[in-house]
Amino acid sequence: MPEVKSIFREVLPKQGQLSMEDVPTMVLCKPKLLPLKSVTLEKLEKMQMEAQEAVKQQELAMKGAVAVDAQ
Amino acid sequence: MEVTMDPLFLALSYFRRRRLQQCSDICTKILQDSPYDQAAWSLKTRALTEMVYIDEIEVDQEGIAEMMLDESSIAQVARPGTSLRLPGTSQGGGPTPAVRPLTQSGRPITGFVRPSTQSGRPGTMEQAIKTPRTASTARPVTSASGRFIRLGTASMLTNPEGPYINLSRLNLAKYSQKPHLSRTLFEYIFHHENDVKNALDLAAQATEHAQFKDWWWKVQLGKCYYRLGLYRESEKQFRSALNHKEVVDTYLYLAKVYQRLDQPITALNLFKQGLDHFPGEVTLLTGIARIHEEMNNISSATEYYKDVLKQDNTHVEAIACIGSNHFYTDQPEIALRFYRRLLQMGVYNCQLYNNLGLCCFYAQQYDMTLSSFERAQALVANDQEQADVWYNIGHVAVGIAELTLAYQCFKLALAFNNDHAEAYNNLAVLELRKGRIEQSKAFLQTAASLAPHMYEPHFNLSILSEKIGDLQSSYTAAQKSEDSFPEHVDTQQLLKQLRQHFAEL
């Protein structure tokens, strides 16, 4: 390989002190691994959802019945 | 002529195949014809119980009243390492909040949630009341009025003819004499009706009938006392049951009592006793690991989870916890292997794909990252999960310096969950880069009020205030940051600087 003379020469100071200012920077919150749910918890949540649905359905049915009565 | 099956046999078969509704329907028909058919009655009771049955060992919900007006703890200020209530006393050299996010109670987040870990114990009444009441973290005022009652009333509501068994007209004394009926009846009252007082009556009479020699009834009595908050009584019952017969479940119940009494060391000793009788029992090992984890002793928790995996290499909780621990100790590629294992085992949900996406990104497997997140997005069940997934995608965007995308992701996270404190904080950082100081400050203040346990918003607010010359607010914010994360070096330096400043004035 032919020797290519570079235009840029690296500068490595051998004397003097190197200083770097440590500026506090803002921090981001960390990425969040989502915890897996236990079987019991999933069942509980499912049951609660179903129960809420059932209540809602019944309430709707009640309202419907009242509306029919009013007519 | 068509040959029909004996209806009771058919019902039994349905019950075995867990077609509980059909089983109960057939039993109802049998009972209409012959109301005194004990077999059908008992079977229907069991079917109805199974429909709403949840493992009592896992269920543990503390209401505000139980937490704040708790008089069963021995020491108000416990020594470090002896209490579950001092999350700050980490001795295991676990990851600091600088790398591992915290839950509201100030514990590092775990890889697995159970009903009892859903939200930790807040330190003060003020914090308990201020805890945001979203759908997922709503805490009942007392646990007796919590989810149990809601489930109980709902199961009655769905039945148009009213409850199947009218408890107030039941002659408990009569049933307690009949061992073959009393047990199913007890489970029905306890699980389906959630009527702990009647269940306790029945259990007390039945154990008397069995001349206090039946361990099963003693365990049931203990369960009732536990639900009623009489922990010392329930401890007595469980101990006495263990004298009759060594059963793993009894050990688990007893350990649960000790955990509620805030005696983790006693619970640990009990688990070890249990392990002497049942060597290598997975549930006992998991119990030990959970206590270590709750006491912030992550490294020994991981050791025990590894023991669990030696016994049962498909244990989801152990794999997830070890995986998350590797991720937060800067080994995402190993975490990736654990999560991939879960995927191979057939776990298929939003959380897993989200975790896979994060692990892939930090393990530099960029090809899989976005497709994992896409799957996670497709599998979300509610808005909270959606928000969390967007939040994590935002991190990926920050990582590849796509700040516009990151900004949009965090905004989306907030659109799905308006209480997402982490997203507020990150958005504030991005806003400041754009030079919008007021906006950034507002976001940080929101984040700080939503999640006072996180140090990031306080610290950021402190830096921001210091930059714009508001040294007093900077100092107060830095102090708050120090409270939630005392070892944070940058906070310390900032405080030192500010103190110097004030001294010069």
Side-chain angles (χ1 to χ4, degrees):
Chain A
M1 219 171 98
E3 193 90 350
V4 179
K5 231 186 179 177
S6 170
I7 330 159
F8 299 109
R9 283 177 55 205
E10 61 178 4
V11 181
L12 283 176
K14 301 257 165 43
Q15 286 174 338
Q17 288 178 331
L18 181 68
S19 77
M20 197 182 74
E21 196 185 2
D22 187 18
V23 188
T25 45
M26 310 251 298
V27 281
L28 288 171
C29 283
K30 304 305 164 292
K32 216 157 90 179
L33 282 185
L34 297 182
L36 301 174
K37 284 179 185 169
S38 76
V39 178
T40 316
L41 188 59
E42 272 184 12
K43 188 169 177 188
L44 259 176
E45 286 185 353
K46 200 177 135 227
M47 272 163 48
Q48 204 172 356
M49 282 244 297
E50 280 169 4
Q52 276 169 352
E53 274 301 305
V55 174
K56 234 185 245 169
Q57 292 286 331
Q58 286 210 343
E59 276 177 359
L60 275 179
M62 291 264 283
K63 266 184 200 163
V66 171
V68 169
D69 282 352
Q71 281 175 3
Chain B
M1 204 184 104
E2 196 184 336
V3 183
T4 52
M5 208 188 264
D6 174 42
L8 186 66
F9 185 79
L10 186 61
L12 265 173
S13 162
Y14 275 135
F15 182 75
R16 266 205 308 276
R17 286 179 284 152
R18 298 196 61 77
R19 307 257 179 93
L20 301 171
Q21 192 57 50
Q22 280 132 312
C23 169
S24 140
D25 289 346
I26 294 180
C27 289
T28 315
K29 269 186 210 143
I30 301 175
L31 285 172
Q32 271 167 3
D33 296 338
S34 53
Y36 295 104
D37 190 333
Q38 289 189 347
W41 186 84
S42 182
L43 186 59
K44 184 173 175 184
T45 320
R46 277 183 74 191
L48 289 178
T49 310
E50 282 294 319
M51 277 182 213
V52 290
Y53 180 81
I54 23 178
D55 194 351
E56 183 65 15
I57 296 168
E58 291 281 304
V59 174
D60 198 10
Q61 281 209 319
E62 272 188 305
I64 291 181
E66 274 89 2
M67 270 180 312
M68 302 321 302
L69 310 171
D70 177 20
E71 284 173 353
S72 53
S73 64
I74 293 173
Q76 285 299 314
V77 185
R79 277 173 296 146
T82 62
S83 169
L84 296 169
R85 293 179 198 181
L86 295 168
T89 53
S90 162
Q91 334 106 23
T96 62
V99 285
R100 186 166 187 157
L102 297 177
T103 59
Q104 228 142 30
S105 59
R107 295 203 170 87
I109 63 165
T110 73
F112 200 72
V113 274
R114 289 165 286 123
S116 53
T117 48
Q118 254 185 323
S119 41
R121 184 185 277 277
T124 61
M125 191 74 184
E126 192 193 351
Q127 214 181 324
I129 294 172
K130 257 170 63 182
T131 303
R133 241 135 249 281
T134 55
S136 58
T137 59
R139 179 185 287 287
V141 176
T142 67
S143 67
S145 70
R147 214 176 233 161
F148 297 121
I149 286 291
R150 267 177 280 157
L151 290 175
T153 47
S155 60
M156 268 189 274
L157 251 178
T158 48
N159 195 350
E161 294 105 49
Y164 162 56
I165 298 174
N166 196 340
L167 289 184
S168 54
R169 285 164 51 191
L170 214 59
N171 185 359
L172 290 180
K174 195 183 89 192
Y175 283 97
S176 64
Q177 315 286 323
K178 299 178 181 160
H180 53 287
L181 289 183
S182 53
R183 293 185 185 206
T184 49
L185 180 63
F186 173 84
E187 296 217 305
Y188 177 82
I189 302 176
F190 190 81
H191 290 287
H192 190 272
E193 298 288 314
N194 284 312
D195 188 344
V196 183
K197 247 162 66 186
N198 272 324
L200 181 65
D201 271 353
L202 179 63
Q205 291 177 19
T207 188
E208 212 180 311
H209 180 69
Q211 290 159 354
F212 305 100
K213 277 180 191 155
D214 191 337
W215 66 270
W216 194 84
W217 281 114
K218 290 190 176 172
V219 173
Q220 307 312 314
L221 270 176
K223 273 158 72 173
C224 291
Y225 281 130
Y226 182 85
R227 279 268 186 104
L228 291 172
L230 302 167
Y231 303 121
R232 288 297 175 190
E233 276 80 359
S234 83
E235 180 197 352
K236 257 186 236 156
Q237 295 297 336
F238 289 137
R239 284 263 175 217
S240 154
L242 274 182
N243 287 338
H244 286 291
K245 193 171 166 74
E246 304 270 348
V247 183
V248 180
D249 276 12
T250 318
Y251 279 109
L252 296 175
Y253 284 125
L254 194 54
K256 200 173 136 186
V257 173
Y258 285 127
Q259 268 162 280
R260 183 51 81 81
L261 290 172
D262 196 22
Q263 297 182 15
I265 306 289
T266 321
L268 281 180
N269 287 335
L270 184 76
F271 278 131
K272 283 182 185 144
Q273 260 177 43
L275 279 176
D276 289 340
H277 294 278
F278 304 97
E281 170 61 39
V282 172
T283 45
L284 295 174
L285 285 172
T286 319
I288 298 182
R290 283 176 185 170
I291 293 183
H292 279 301
E293 192 170 39
E294 279 191 51
M295 288 176 37
N296 228 350
N297 205 341
I298 304 285
S299 50
S300 45
T302 312
E303 285 305 311
Y304 276 101
Y305 277 127
K306 279 182 186 159
D307 281 348
V308 171
L309 283 187
K310 274 177 205 152
Q311 305 292 336
D312 171 9
N313 57 13
T314 57
H315 198 272
V316 178
E317 175 172 358
I319 299 179
C321 286
I322 298 177
S324 71
N325 191 39
H326 278 300
F327 181 81
Y328 285 118
T329 45
D330 222 6
Q331 295 168 316
E333 55 283 342
I334 299 177
L336 183 61
R337 289 175 57 179
F338 278 94
Y339 284 118
R340 220 170 52 196
R341 162 94 182 144
L342 282 179
L343 194 66
Q344 283 167 350
M345 276 165 44
V347 181
Y348 184 73
N349 55 23
C350 155
Q351 285 88 4
L352 182 61
Y353 274 110
N354 170 74
N355 297 353
L356 275 173
L358 276 182
C359 289
C360 282
F361 180 69
Y362 287 99
Q364 304 184 3
Q365 309 229 348
Y366 300 121
D367 49 341
M368 287 293 291
T369 309
L370 286 180
S371 53
S372 293
F373 278 119
E374 270 170 9
R375 296 240 176 152
Q377 291 278 17
L379 289 171
V380 287
N382 55 37
D383 280 356
Q384 269 79 32
E385 286 175 13
Q386 182 85 283
D388 280 331
V389 177
W390 276 120
Y391 169 76
N392 286 326
I393 299 179
H395 267 287
V396 173
V398 170
I400 54 175
E402 278 271 0
L403 291 187
T404 326
L405 177 64
Y407 188 83
Q408 286 166 341
C409 287
F410 292 135
K411 277 271 183 192
L412 273 170
L414 286 178
F416 283 107
N417 178 9
N418 209 9
D419 291 330
H420 207 291
E422 290 98 337
Y424 272 119
N425 176 65
N426 290 3
L427 210 51
V429 177
L430 294 182
E431 286 285 5
L432 192 69
R433 278 185 64 99
K434 290 184 177 178
R436 289 186 226 157
I437 292 175
E438 282 306 311
Q439 189 67 42
S440 170
K441 203 171 162 187
F443 281 147
L444 284 176
Q445 276 162 348
T446 320
S449 67
L450 280 175
H453 62 280
M454 294 193 318
Y455 82 97
E456 289 97 341
H458 297 304
F459 177 67
N460 289 343
L461 195 59
S462 170
I463 290 182
L464 182 67
S465 309
E466 199 239 10
K467 265 187 193 154
I468 56 176
D470 186 355
L471 297 186
Q472 188 57 48
S473 341
S474 170
Y475 186 67
T476 38
Q479 269 178 330
K480 280 184 196 157
S481 161
E482 193 192 22
D483 284 345
S484 36
F485 183 16
E487 298 94 28
H488 192 226
V489 181
D490 283 356
T491 307
Q492 298 293 355
Q493 276 180 348
L494 194 64
L495 273 174
K496 206 173 127 196
Q497 245 177 46
L498 286 168
R499 286 203 185 105
Q500 239 171 14
H501 241 312
F502 291 141
E504 280 167 11
L505 286 179

